[in-house]
Amino acid sequence: MSITRRTLLVGAGAGAVGLLLAACTPEPQPAPTRTKTPVPRPTAPEAVPAPAGWLRSAWASDPYSFGSTSYLPAGADPTERERLAESVLDRVFFAGEATDTTRPGTVVGAVDDARRASLEIVSVAEDTERLAVVGAGAAGVIAARMLADAGHEVTLFEARERIGGRIRSVADDEQWPIPPQLGAWLLSEDDLASLDDRLVDMGDHTVTLDVPTAWNADGEAPGLDRAPIAQAVEKAQAQASDAPIAEALSANGADLDDPALAASLAWMAAITGADPSRASSWYPPRFPEGAVHGVIGDLDGFLEKQLEDVRVATASPVSRIAYDERGVSLRLGTGEALSFDRVIVTAPVGVLQKQGIEFAPALPFSHRGAIAALASGFIETVWMRFDKAFWATEATIWHVVGGDAMIRTWLNLQPFTGEPVLVGLVGAADAEQFAELSERDAALAARASLVFFAEPEADEG
Ligand SMILES: Cc1cc2nc3c(=O)[nH]c(=O)nc-3n(C[C@H](O)[C@H](O)[C@H](O)COP(=O)(O)OP(=O)(O)OC[C@H]3O[C@@H](n4cnc5c(N)ncnc54)[C@H](O)[C@@H]3O)c2cc1C
């Protein structure tokens, strides 16, 4: 790629915006359809009270995400992401968490990848070109900002009525001490260090959740043991072919029903969305050892501010992208068609897999192969505020070991907010099941998942 003066300018400007954005974070072979087990009807234990405040996500069924993160299933490798990231005729460009190879599945990855795609467009575009960006998540916002800073006429099309994509803050001062985050808000140590590399001062905007504990029916239990996963992955990486992590564990003699191992796998799934029965052991998803950093505040509002002078069309799903050597034409859900010189598509891989956007002509085989090869992971979250704490621990990360909890990862925000707020995280198949529950059943399942933390009722005799 040749570096023009404008490229350099954009690179510099984007650095600043990228830092800010980063600081705010922390079909050849269709995927097989899994047989779903019936969702059990949960009952809540009396010791866990009904919450006074309650919010939950449902990304699995959201038609503009159909999932939470991308990951590599067994048999796929990181070149799938690179293949998807290649531009088509220098007219259609792809960006987002799925096309980043360094930190895929994260906000930092999405932002970095948007910078990559924007620089690629700028290196080929004339000054007066009209550019379109599809999707106003972290990647789309940063791309639109960069391209506008480079002097292009940019229009950002967003299917939903709001900006942010898989970042979703609910600002409600009256109900909640901090805005509940229904999407991304956690950073691993690694992500945090990468922000430090970029001279970002996270300052007062993060909380550190660094006291992990494990709980079973008898109370606090020994912590999670990730060793079986690490050992199985290491052995699997010496094999002739890739195998899913769960298979690699069984081949290594691990008991998948062991409560401590099940809890470790649940933590992996809750943070990465990856299903152990599908995720590659050659390229396993990275998940934090223990501590995570939560970015607090109105993240959607922050993203919106980046777009103050950009033309943004919300509630404008793009249904079709036609392209040739001369340009692109976008058709909106309303039937309206608009012409541009080039487009960056940031729609999630779940949307591309379900052909939420039609391409004309069809994308090259390498792109379609890459879209089919990546897996769409699932993470759902619940935020619960109680009138008073029913737990007695100050630990900030709780893992449920044993029992039949649907949500096995809990974050205790009371030490930071002074209010009894718990955040549940559930991943992979359990997240898909959780997303299907009615509001009432989801609340019961969440309460049932907390039974090990409830103080036993005082003896009245
Ligand atoms: C519950 C949950 C928890 C997560 N936790 C973390 C975390 O703690 N840390 C972390 O780093 N990452 C986390 N992630 C992942 C993170 O949210 C994503 O990696 C990142 O936000 C992706 O950004 P993006 O811009 O690539 O995609 P998105 O944010 O999904 O943006 C794509 C946009 O495209 C829009 N769109 C889709 N189809 C169309 C269409 N046809 N026309 C127009 N617009 C369309 C969508 O509405 C969306 O706004 C989490 C995700 C979820 C769901």
Side-chain angles (χ1 to χ4, degrees):
M1 182 176 81
S2 64
I3 304 287
T4 62
R5 189 183 67 83
R6 202 147 41 92
T7 312
L8 287 172
L9 276 178
V10 168
V17 178
L19 292 185
L20 284 170
L21 279 176
C24 265
T25 63
E27 199 112 0
Q29 282 295 323
T33 314
R34 272 164 294 152
T35 334
K36 289 190 181 158
T37 44
V39 180
R41 192 167 186 89
T43 45
E46 309 230 315
V48 178
W54 157 264
L55 282 170
R56 70 187 277 221
S57 65
W59 299 98
S61 51
D62 185 321
Y64 301 122
S65 58
F66 283 126
S68 308
T69 53
S70 66
Y71 68 94
L72 294 174
D77 67 59
T79 59
E80 311 293 358
R81 300 188 186 282
E82 289 168 11
R83 286 199 286 154
L84 183 57
E86 276 167 23
S87 79
V88 183
L89 302 178
D90 275 345
R91 294 289 165 186
V92 182
F93 295 74
F94 289 89
E97 58 84 11
T99 37
D100 186 64
T101 46
T102 313
R103 292 177 199 282
T106 67
V107 172
V108 177
V111 168
D112 284 352
D113 195 62
R115 296 178 65 188
R116 185 242 349 127
S118 304
L119 290 174
E120 275 180 33
I121 282 212
V122 167
S123 71
V124 292
E126 302 291 331
D127 281 344
T128 51
E129 287 194 3
R130 296 175 70 228
L131 306 176
V133 177
V134 177
V141 168
I142 185 73
R145 177 72 270 147
M146 284 183 66
L147 296 172
D149 284 350
H152 290 289
E153 190 185 322
V154 183
T155 310
L156 175 58
F157 295 95
E158 168 53 50
R160 297 182 174 108
E161 287 180 358
R162 62 171 186 85
I163 304 298
R166 284 171 276 173
I167 293 174
R168 172 83 175 106
S169 309
V170 180
D172 180 354
D173 293 352
E174 292 193 1
Q175 287 268 338
W176 299 91
I178 56 172
Q181 309 291 348
L182 297 183
W185 67 294
L186 300 173
L187 298 169
S188 63
E189 287 288 352
D190 219 25
D191 284 343
L192 196 68
S194 84
L195 296 182
D196 283 346
D197 286 349
R198 297 168 205 186
L199 302 177
V200 175
D201 179 10
M202 301 294 285
D204 297 334
H205 304 296
T206 58
V207 293
T208 299
L209 301 136
D210 60 355
V211 188
T213 48
W215 297 74
N216 61 22
D218 299 325
E220 196 164 345
L224 297 192
D225 180 9
R226 290 163 52 125
I229 303 177
Q231 286 157 6
V233 162
E234 195 183 331
K235 281 219 174 142
Q237 288 177 340
Q239 300 302 312
S241 60
D242 193 3
I245 290 175
E247 215 173 278
L249 278 161
S250 299
N252 204 33
D255 175 7
L256 289 172
D257 293 327
D258 173 68
L261 176 55
S264 296
L265 291 171
W267 170 236
M268 180 186 89
I271 289 290
T272 68
D275 187 334
S277 67
R278 288 194 71 199
S280 164
S281 46
W282 280 8
Y283 304 100
R286 293 185 316 169
F287 64 109
E289 279 290 337
V292 287
H293 305 272
V295 185
I296 50 178
D298 176 9
L299 306 185
D300 296 26
F302 178 85
L303 287 173
E304 260 174 57
K305 280 201 197 106
Q306 309 309 315
L307 296 171
E308 264 160 16
D309 54 350
V310 173
R311 186 176 308 166
V312 182
T314 49
S316 301
V318 172
S319 57
R320 186 173 190 266
I321 299 178
Y323 62 92
D324 62 19
E325 289 82 359
R326 291 161 301 161
V328 296
S329 167
L330 267 52
R331 191 194 292 156
L332 304 186
T334 53
E336 192 183 353
L338 298 154
S339 295
F340 294 89
D341 291 294
R342 298 168 212 275
V343 62
I344 297 189
V345 181
T346 71
V349 85
V351 172
L352 298 176
Q353 284 175 339
K354 294 213 187 261
Q355 298 176 350
I357 300 175
E358 179 196 347
F359 290 89
L363 290 171
F365 282 133
S366 63
H367 285 75
R368 281 182 276 161
I371 290 166
L374 293 169
S376 198
F378 300 99
I379 307 173
E380 302 296 351
T381 189
V382 290
W383 282 60
M384 298 168 86
R385 182 176 51 76
F386 296 90
D387 284 332
K388 75 179 191 5
F390 57 85
W391 57 92
T393 177
E394 289 282 294
T396 47
I397 303 178
W398 306 346
H399 296 293
V400 182
V401 179
D404 53 7
M406 189 179 253
I407 305 176
R408 292 192 174 273
T409 302
W410 290 92
L411 307 178
N412 171 17
L413 299 191
Q414 187 172 35
F416 311 107
T417 63
E419 290 192 33
V421 174
L422 297 180
V423 179
L425 290 171
V426 53
D430 283 343
E432 276 186 280
Q433 286 206 337
F434 185 74
E436 279 178 22
L437 295 179
S438 68
E439 210 62 5
R440 180 178 168 278
D441 285 354
L444 289 176
R447 286 169 65 196
S449 300
L450 284 164
V451 67
F452 293 164
F453 307 96
E455 287 281 270
E457 294 289 319
D459 223 339
E460 284 181 15

